[in-house]
Amino acid sequence: MAPILPIVHVFACSGRFASWEALQAHLAPTYTDDGDATPSPFFLETGLTHYEPACVESALLASPAPLAQLLDGVSYGDSWLAQACADAPGLLADTSVCVFAPNRLAHPQRSSLHHVGSYVYGDG
């Protein structure tokens, strides 16, 4: 059986979030007083499961920029960023979200954020 390759899902948008706190409120779950997680809007839109917060990277710039600039320094970028940029020529965005394995998205295309694409990534 072939190994399952890790996937990163890349999302971008512009002018949607007024602050870092607003972006995080869209992405991160909240918790009840009992410690039970309440899914975020992003979880509900994309069907996110196997949530690992350390494997979700987001950025918010002061003004829209090309995807390559917005995603500068993102994890494993050498293995997938060029393809993402090729898939979104001319895209200018001020917000990005990258969802890495082990997080799983059942339907990333249902996100209210623009789904740039899904890419295999790794060290090699």
Side-chain angles (χ1 to χ4, degrees):
M1 187 166 151
I4 296 173
L5 298 172
I7 300 288
V8 57
H9 297 275
V10 181
F11 300 87
C13 68
S14 193
R16 172 142 180 209
F17 300 102
S19 66
W20 181 255
E21 293 75 19
L23 172 59
Q24 295 311 308
H26 181 74
L27 296 176
T30 55
Y31 294 89
T32 66
D33 291 339
D34 295 330
D36 297 324
T38 302
S40 71
F42 186 76
F43 278 42
L44 296 173
E45 292 171 357
T46 62
L48 191 149
T49 59
H50 296 83
Y51 180 57
E52 173 50 60
C55 296
V56 176
E57 297 180 16
S58 54
L60 181 63
L61 300 179
S63 60
L67 198 58
Q69 182 179 337
L70 182 60
L71 295 174
D72 184 44
V74 72
S75 295
Y76 305 101
D78 289 349
S79 64
W80 62 268
L81 184 54
Q83 184 61 53
C85 292
D87 287 350
L91 176 71
L92 296 176
D94 61 19
T95 305
S96 66
V97 178
C98 297
V99 181
F100 294 87
N103 294 294
R104 293 185 192 161
L105 303 181
H107 34 77
Q109 70 282 0
R110 293 185 190 169
S111 175
S112 59
L113 307 177
H114 172 67
H115 182 238
V116 175
S118 304
Y119 308 96
V120 172
Y121 70 89
D123 293 321

